[in-house]
Amino acid sequence: MKDLPYGDIFYELLGKIHAALAYCHLRYSKNETLSEDDQGINEIFESFSKISPYRISGLNSHIVKGLTLGDAKRQEQNLYPRLSKLVIYTYLQAQSSKRDKKYKAEIIPSPLNILYHALTVPNEPQSAAYAYVLCRSMLFFFLQLHPKLSGSNSINATYSEFQEEDILRSMNSLGNYSRQFARWPDKRQGHEKDAARLNYLLGHILALKGFFYLWFSANDQLINFCNVNESNLQSDLYARYRNELKESEKYHFRLSGGFHDMPDSSEVLNWIFGIPIPIRGADLLFSGGLKRSSNSGLVVSMHGQPGTGKTSVALALASVLSPFNTQTIYITLEESPEDLRTRLNTLTPSYLKRLSIYENNYNAISRKANDKYSLSWFHPYEFRGVKSLNDLERVLQLVSNKIEGAVSNKSPEEKGENLLPAICPLLLVVDNINGLLSNRDIGANSYYDIEQFVKGCRDIGAIVLLISAEGIPERYNLDYLVDVALCLKQEGIESKYEKPVRILQLTKSRHQLSRQGSHVFHISNDKGLRISPQVPSQLDKREKLRIQLPSKKMVVNALNFHSRDGESIYYNFLNVAENSQILIHGYGSSGKAGFGLKLLMTPIFESRHFPKSMSGKSIKKYPIGNRRVNKVMILSFLYPDEYYQGLYDRIVAQFDKMFDGYDRAKAIMVVKSFYPGYLTPEDFVNKIVRMLEEARLEGEPFTGILIDGLHNVFLQFRYLQDFHMIWPLLYNMLSRYSLTVVSTSTNFTLNQGVSAGDAVGNAKGGVLPEDLLLMQQGQRPFLHGLVKAADYFFLLDEESSETGDKRYMISVRSSIRQAPPTDRLRWDRSELVIIAEEKGGESQ
Amino acid sequence: MGNEMKDLEKVKEIGIRVQHLVPDSLPKSGLKRMQYYVSFDDSPNIFHLGLSKGEPVRFEVIQSMVRNGVLVELTSSFLLPFDMDVWLSSEGEIVIASAVAPFSDNNRRVVARPRQFDRIYVEVEEQMARTPRPQIDRFTKVPQK
């Protein structure tokens, strides 16, 4: 009998998070600032004793991160505990969703939500599945509820069973409340005891996913909820999550500020009843989880041509499911078990090997000396004698009968322990049934035989993965009979100039909502199997996220800080709102990247900090206070990392002079450069979104993003150019994160003749109409930016003076909330400053 | 119907039919006694394990056992003389011969030869014996503080 993933640290970690939230709340309600270098909150996590084995073994570094250092060293290296950062960030986000100061009630994020994020490896968001299974199972245990089980499985009699209808009823009652920002469930609902518990289960699951905050009518209640007794953790937490508190101490749920609507009810059903698949992108594909049929069996067929990665996908699935205590029986009709074991090792993502939940014999905690190379959860068998489908069915039955003997069938009562049904005890892979289907004599009963075979597979009560080749006669097509049908393809292998792309097509999923269609996937290198879902479905997932409008309060003063003789002065030119989308357009190398980066790196102040009366005053060692982090992501289509590093150093040095207490560690720049070639739109969007979410999970979200050189997509990024709709989708998606987006673009001119070229087709000045057409296509990203991402539109012009010097002038073409100033500013691209003009400054 | 025990005299009169055998691993040499279900010609839908006096089994149950691989169904039934038993040879042949001394029985004859499936049964047995059986836990522990 095994533990749930991370079950060993659950109670203690949750207790710590409760304590940290209480601490945050006490500081916040006294109007004190919260930051990650706060000693108090770090002390709470430093006393986290259960993780000490991880500190030594180097496992689970995502939890331990920042805790191993002493306090002095921490300040020196600027590495603060990830747990503290997460708690503070999530707590402050919840507080910012209070509408105004008059809002009397108290709201906090669910501690389970923080735990869920804390146990997720930041750069591998799919690992959230393990944390989610833990949280969900613990909620089932706390509330003594469990989805209805079928067949011989039984659960402790103290549990009440529920079905999908019950959840839908609960969702219905919730729908009315959530729209009005009201609390839920209220007293009128759930007179029956089970219904009330079910409401709380649903509420907690949604709070865990971030859709809900916990709502308390007064401060005392909140503190009471957060204060748990260390010596009595289990029963204290049990009472809190069951909401078995005094009537006056009960809490409710409220829609969180980050979302504008509830998730689809079918997605919620997948969350509650499904198996979350820990493969990157699979969460999107199956809308939160893979649901099984009513007898807990599921038959999945996967077909594809040779070399498309069928076996690899199956092996990768086996390895990522193993932390759920899933045993894999791999029946192969062609490969040797030894080869499969070797392949399995290379297909296991390297991050998984460094987690305590993955049972690997090289893993320091669960090392077994004797059997070094075999994994205890992987059982390959080779049957070469199978000649027909009937034979195979018998083999499966025989194998499953053999296993039945080994199943610990004792009921939970007999064991005298608190047990929950395992989420997916058995995965059965059959690789592959090509020969059995295509060689058959076509007879009247053939289809019936296949039907019987699939039914037999479903009755085993496991996930059965049937692998077959393409080219099976249509009438034997398994896809009609199985529950989930996948098709793997490889595109671009015919041409030697193209990079082959692997495609995974989800064509059918019988029991659930899913995102069908073609998705790109990769299996090479140590990251293991990963799927980049199609672009529209990536947006789909974020549809419920609230669009973040440009801030009214916070201001980027980049255009207001001018330089005169090496000295900075303030001159009220244009306030750029935070969270806005900015487009910078110019001709040639006018220093757009530097200007964009400076915009994003400028410390953000509230607009009241620099009143108009400040205009013309010099800024030197201006007190900066406890400012927020500026964390900028740069998407470069042109320059490598080093180029931006140079810009960064110069910009930061300027601010260092201008502000007192400026901390370089709070200005972070991450460069992601793409090299020309065959980057697919799916991968492109997926990479950006992944980085954004990874930063959130680190507790340090990005504040800005610089898309440098939209024009470089022209000709060099073939797929991005063809699929130009990527840009509006991307801008829409970025607007759902709190980000200031800066895009830069350049126009092309072949020569003077271009603009005068006539549309009918007469070439002028050596320019062909084809060239013109091509140029127009190249303009698409820029035009998309203009339509979608131009809250502010800056133009950088090049001017030549009489002496032949070149000058760059910034003019504002459009701006929100403010009429665009008619003046132009001079941009010094080598110094990265705006030069104060003679007429400006004090006279204004 | 059929609940009453067949008495010996009656059994000798009516024919005993065998079509369903309990699969078993092959003996290394010699003969191995097999378990089988019998039916009687007067009530073909009622089955008994061997000539036991135990609970009668309905045809539907037999069918489900066949589906689950617990039983093997021969393509046709054969008549089993009262003093004979069913044996399995090392080649996988099913033999009827004297219940007491099968080797010296002159009436010994093969009633069925192994089909593909029988070989697979052996193969599965061998494979499972060679590699450790998976221990499947249908439950997980809820962590205790």
Side-chain angles (χ1 to χ4, degrees):
Chain A
M1 212 63 51
K2 282 175 189 159
D3 269 336
L4 290 163
Y6 300 116
D8 47 342
I9 51 173
F10 176 80
Y11 283 109
E12 201 180 354
L13 182 53
L14 190 58
K16 298 283 176 210
I17 290 170
H18 272 248
L21 275 174
Y23 179 83
C24 283
H25 189 72
L26 285 175
R27 302 255 349 222
Y28 185 82
S29 50
K30 284 184 205 157
N31 272 334
E32 288 170 326
T33 47
L34 279 168
S35 67
E36 63 220 19
D37 41 14
D38 195 313
Q39 191 108 8
I41 194 161
N42 291 340
E43 264 170 22
I44 292 174
F45 290 111
E46 259 170 6
S47 58
F48 190 1
S49 60
K50 282 251 170 89
I51 55 164
S52 46
Y54 304 146
R55 294 188 195 193
I56 302 157
S57 63
L59 294 174
N60 288 351
S61 55
H62 62 298
I63 308 173
V64 186
K65 196 169 182 184
L67 283 175
T68 44
L69 303 167
D71 215 49
K73 218 167 183 189
R74 201 172 281 154
Q75 281 203 336
E76 192 183 296
Q77 299 192 5
N78 254 306
L79 191 72
Y80 295 100
R82 177 175 164 247
L83 291 172
S84 327
K85 281 198 268 187
L86 259 178
V87 172
I88 293 170
Y89 163 65
T90 323
Y91 175 80
L92 288 178
Q93 220 188 13
Q95 300 315 314
S96 69
S97 77
K98 282 185 185 177
R99 278 181 182 168
D100 46 40
K101 294 261 177 205
K102 282 180 207 153
Y103 195 90
K104 285 244 175 62
E106 300 294 345
I107 45 178
I108 53 163
S110 165
L112 279 179
N113 173 252
I114 299 173
L115 180 101
Y116 167 63
H117 288 321
L119 293 181
T120 305
V121 182
N123 47 9
E124 305 288 344
Q126 71 276 25
S127 63
Y130 304 119
Y132 177 68
V133 164
L134 171 72
C135 294
R136 186 178 72 182
S137 306
M138 289 312 290
L139 281 174
F140 288 157
F141 169 66
F142 284 146
L143 291 152
Q144 295 284 303
L145 286 167
H146 200 275
K148 195 171 180 338
L149 296 170
S150 65
S152 58
N153 297 335
S154 69
I155 190 164
N156 209 315
T158 55
Y159 284 81
S160 314
E161 291 189 335
F162 63 90
Q163 292 189 27
E164 308 197 348
E165 290 89 325
D166 302 315
I167 294 290
L168 288 176
R169 187 151 21 103
S170 218
M171 281 291 288
N172 259 342
S173 94
L174 181 154
N176 301 333
Y177 281 81
S178 61
R179 272 183 213 111
Q180 320 153 10
F181 269 97
R183 56 191 192 274
W184 179 85
D186 76 354
K187 278 179 199 161
R188 280 169 294 170
Q189 285 164 350
H191 288 301
E192 307 154 56
K193 214 178 165 206
D194 278 2
R197 274 195 282 156
L198 207 63
N199 284 347
Y200 272 96
L201 174 72
L202 181 62
H204 275 304
I205 295 253
L206 290 175
L208 159 70
K209 288 273 183 185
F211 280 89
F212 273 151
Y213 290 142
L214 304 187
W215 181 98
F216 299 87
S217 60
N219 196 22
D220 292 353
Q221 287 180 1
L222 192 158
I223 297 298
N224 181 45
F225 175 82
C226 287
N227 272 340
V228 285
N229 189 347
E230 288 262 332
S231 58
N232 204 8
L233 265 179
Q234 193 181 345
S235 60
D236 264 21
L237 289 171
Y238 189 81
R240 274 159 185 74
Y241 286 92
R242 263 180 94 88
N243 209 11
E244 276 182 351
L245 301 163
K246 283 177 234 151
E247 194 57 44
S248 59
E249 289 175 354
K250 286 201 169 172
Y251 57 88
H252 301 275
F253 298 102
R254 208 208 77 165
L255 190 64
S256 90
F259 296 88
H260 63 79
D261 201 2
M262 287 286 102
D264 287 336
S265 50
S266 35
E267 192 168 358
V268 176
L269 290 181
N270 290 352
W271 287 344
I272 296 180
F273 295 91
I275 305 167
I277 306 290
I279 290 173
R280 189 181 290 168
D283 172 47
L284 239 165
L285 228 64
F286 296 111
S287 297
L290 191 59
K291 250 164 68 182
R292 290 192 273 174
S293 65
S294 58
N295 67 352
S296 77
L298 186 79
V299 184
V300 183
S301 91
M302 183 159 68
H303 57 87
Q305 282 169 349
T308 44
K310 302 181 292 290
T311 308
S312 303
V313 170
L315 288 172
L317 187 68
S319 81
V320 296
L321 284 181
S322 70
F324 293 145
N325 307 329
T326 302
Q327 302 282 325
T328 300
I329 294 183
Y330 201 103
I331 293 175
T332 167
L333 308 182
E334 50 186 28
E335 265 178 282
S336 89
E338 281 315 308
D339 290 345
L340 285 173
R341 283 210 186 89
T342 322
R343 275 178 79 178
L344 181 68
N345 260 326
T346 58
L347 281 162
T348 306
S350 55
Y351 87 92
L352 193 59
K353 291 177 185 165
R354 292 192 297 267
L355 298 185
S356 66
I357 53 172
Y358 179 74
E359 196 193 304
N360 169 345
N361 295 328
Y362 294 104
N363 200 318
I365 284 183
S366 60
R367 191 193 299 276
K368 282 172 228 148
N370 48 0
D371 199 1
K372 209 169 143 198
Y373 292 103
S374 75
L375 297 161
S376 65
W377 44 265
F378 185 68
H379 313 276
Y381 296 100
E382 182 191 14
F383 296 115
R384 286 186 185 269
V386 176
K387 292 283 180 287
S388 75
L389 215 51
N390 256 344
D391 290 348
L392 185 60
E393 197 180 335
R394 303 260 170 153
V395 166
L396 294 187
Q397 284 298 343
L398 287 167
V399 169
S400 88
N401 286 344
K402 290 275 171 195
I403 302 161
E404 281 304 319
V407 169
S408 47
N409 258 332
K410 281 186 181 168
S411 69
E413 288 92 340
E414 284 173 81
K415 289 264 176 183
E417 282 176 288
N418 284 307
L419 297 178
L420 275 172
I423 170 163
C424 168
L426 180 61
L427 171 71
L428 218 160
V429 184
V430 181
D431 186 11
N432 57 51
I433 54 174
N434 303 347
L436 310 185
L437 285 177
S438 46
N439 291 345
R440 285 177 66 85
D441 300 324
I442 297 175
N445 282 335
S446 309
Y447 190 75
Y448 175 75
D449 285 349
I450 299 174
E451 209 177 330
Q452 283 300 310
F453 170 67
V454 172
K455 193 174 169 296
C457 290
R458 203 172 288 136
D459 287 342
I460 295 173
I463 298 185
V464 180
L465 185 57
L466 300 174
I467 298 178
S468 62
E470 272 189 334
I472 293 168
E474 182 66 17
R475 56 184 300 187
Y476 297 141
N477 204 337
L478 274 173
D479 292 3
Y480 296 114
L481 297 165
V482 296
D483 302 310
V484 177
L486 297 170
C487 176
L488 305 186
K489 280 182 185 167
Q490 209 166 15
E491 277 180 10
I493 39 175
E494 269 92 42
S495 158
K496 62 179 176 182
Y497 302 110
E498 277 189 78
K499 184 183 168 192
V501 179
R502 290 175 194 273
I503 308 252
L504 184 144
Q505 274 181 337
L506 176 64
T507 48
K508 174 181 180 176
S509 62
R510 186 177 273 166
H511 302 291
Q512 66 175 124
L513 172 80
S514 67
R515 293 201 170 80
Q516 298 177 352
S518 297
H519 310 275
V520 174
F521 79 101
H522 304 274
I523 37 180
S524 53
N525 84 31
D526 66 345
K527 286 181 200 146
L529 171 68
R530 55 212 187 278
I531 304 167
S532 299
Q534 40 170 226
V535 178
S537 66
Q538 297 207 22
L539 180 67
D540 227 26
K541 188 194 170 190
R542 288 159 186 91
E543 194 193 35
K544 306 280 189 215
L545 285 171
R546 191 179 289 278
I547 289 188
Q548 308 286 334
L549 292 175
S551 167
K552 285 183 179 163
K553 206 164 123 195
M554 307 304 277
V555 162
V556 181
N557 283 309
L559 279 91
N560 298 342
F561 296 142
H562 297 189
S563 157
R564 188 169 41 194
D565 310 329
E567 191 191 354
S568 297
I569 54 164
Y570 179 81
Y571 165 59
N572 193 359
F573 183 75
L574 180 73
N575 284 346
V576 178
E578 199 199 358
N579 287 354
S580 54
Q581 303 201 329
I582 301 160
L583 182 65
I584 303 170
H585 182 232
Y587 293 92
S589 50
S590 45
K592 294 183 293 294
F595 180 51
L597 188 62
K598 190 164 183 191
L599 258 172
L600 293 171
M601 280 292 174
T602 311
I604 297 160
F605 289 96
E606 286 186 25
S607 50
R608 63 184 166 82
H609 268 274
F610 290 97
K612 280 196 175 152
S613 57
M614 279 272 296
S615 208
K617 287 191 181 143
S618 143
I619 298 169
K620 202 171 180 188
K621 295 288 169 197
Y622 186 86
I624 198 161
N626 202 321
R627 80 178 171 100
R628 301 208 335 248
V629 175
N630 281 56
K631 189 169 178 182
V632 179
M633 185 203 295
I634 297 177
L635 303 178
S636 165
F637 293 103
L638 189 57
Y639 299 116
D641 199 343
E642 291 77 20
Y643 171 75
Y644 297 99
Q645 199 59 47
L647 293 176
Y648 169 87
D649 287 342
R650 280 186 282 161
I651 290 171
V652 169
Q654 285 173 21
F655 290 134
D656 218 1
K657 263 193 240 164
M658 281 167 73
F659 299 107
D660 189 24
Y662 185 84
D663 187 358
R664 273 176 186 239
K666 286 189 174 178
I668 305 165
M669 181 185 74
V670 181
V671 181
K672 179 84 202 165
S673 45
F674 297 99
Y675 55 89
Y678 299 95
L679 179 71
T680 61
E682 287 86 353
D683 285 342
F684 177 62
V685 172
N686 202 23
K687 268 178 188 154
I688 298 170
V689 171
R690 217 186 65 227
M691 281 170 78
L692 291 174
E693 286 192 347
E694 183 186 320
R696 275 190 176 190
L697 285 171
E698 287 278 9
E700 232 171 33
F702 282 100
T703 57
I705 180 166
L706 173 65
I707 305 175
D708 191 23
L710 278 177
H711 55 276
N712 282 312
V713 175
F714 181 59
L715 285 180
Q716 302 206 352
F717 290 84
R718 213 192 117 173
Y719 296 138
L720 292 189
Q721 195 190 355
D722 288 351
F723 189 72
H724 61 93
M725 283 306 287
I726 181 123
W727 299 106
L729 289 171
L730 179 68
Y731 283 123
N732 189 317
M733 211 178 291
L734 292 179
S735 68
R736 287 164 200 271
Y737 296 84
S738 308
L739 285 173
T740 310
V741 183
V742 176
S743 327
T744 68
S745 178
T746 300
N747 256 23
F748 298 101
T749 44
L750 286 183
N751 60 29
Q752 294 302 320
V754 173
S755 51
D758 89 39
V760 188
N762 297 328
K764 272 188 185 178
V767 180
L768 296 169
E770 286 82 3
D771 291 340
L772 272 176
L773 217 67
L774 200 65
M775 302 281 276
Q776 278 168 8
Q777 280 178 2
Q779 291 296 314
R780 276 176 180 163
F782 167 66
L783 291 174
H784 277 303
L786 197 58
V787 171
K788 185 75 196 168
D791 292 336
Y792 297 92
F793 178 26
F794 299 124
L795 197 67
L796 256 94
D797 281 330
E798 190 184 272
E799 273 185 8
S800 298
S801 67
E802 289 158 2
T803 53
D805 293 346
K806 282 189 174 176
R807 308 202 307 168
Y808 300 96
M809 306 301 289
I810 302 170
S811 55
V812 184
R813 286 302 171 86
S814 76
S815 66
I816 52 165
R817 296 202 186 114
Q818 226 176 321
T822 46
D823 299 358
R824 297 197 300 170
L825 296 174
R826 189 173 150 209
W827 171 248
D828 186 337
R829 73 167 185 182
S830 55
E831 293 295 318
L832 298 172
V833 285
I834 293 167
I835 307 286
E837 295 288 313
E838 287 308 313
K839 61 176 183 176
E842 283 111 324
S843 64
Q844 290 277 320
Chain B
M1 190 188 80
N3 278 350
E4 70 277 10
M5 223 173 64
K6 305 274 179 193
D7 61 6
L8 204 61
E9 288 311 309
K10 205 179 164 194
V11 165
K12 279 182 180 174
E13 277 173 35
I14 56 175
I16 309 165
R17 291 210 163 264
V18 176
Q19 195 180 359
H20 301 99
L21 304 167
V22 181
D24 203 342
S25 57
L26 297 181
K28 287 221 171 82
S29 62
L31 295 172
K32 191 176 185 182
R33 202 186 293 269
M34 288 195 89
Q35 299 286 318
Y36 50 90
Y37 279 83
V38 300
S39 62
F40 299 95
D41 279 356
D42 63 338
S43 52
N45 280 336
I46 304 295
F47 293 80
H48 298 265
L49 182 63
L51 285 173
S52 69
K53 297 164 185 175
E55 278 289 308
V57 178
R58 278 179 298 119
F59 183 51
E60 288 86 340
V61 180
I62 294 282
Q63 269 183 324
S64 81
M65 285 199 280
V66 169
R67 267 204 304 278
N68 291 338
V70 180
L71 285 186
V72 190
E73 189 179 40
L74 301 182
T75 40
S76 63
S77 63
F78 59 86
L79 266 172
L80 183 67
F82 179 68
D83 56 345
M84 283 191 171
D85 212 338
V86 185
W87 303 87
L88 183 63
S89 79
S90 57
E91 281 84 28
E93 293 163 330
I94 289 158
V95 178
I96 54 170
S98 161
V100 191
F103 286 107
S104 56
D105 190 0
N106 291 333
N107 293 330
R108 190 172 82 182
R109 65 190 171 93
V110 174
V111 290
R113 294 190 192 283
R115 272 192 354 203
Q116 202 68 43
F117 154 68
D118 304 311
R119 220 157 56 70
I120 282 165
Y121 184 86
V122 175
E123 207 180 317
V124 171
E125 276 273 279
E126 278 175 1
Q127 286 262 344
M128 299 299 260
R130 227 183 298 139
T131 38
R133 260 186 209 182
Q135 291 291 321
I136 310 260
D137 280 337
R138 291 234 187 271
F139 291 94
T140 41
K141 243 191 302 187
V142 172
Q144 304 292 308
K145 165 76 174 135

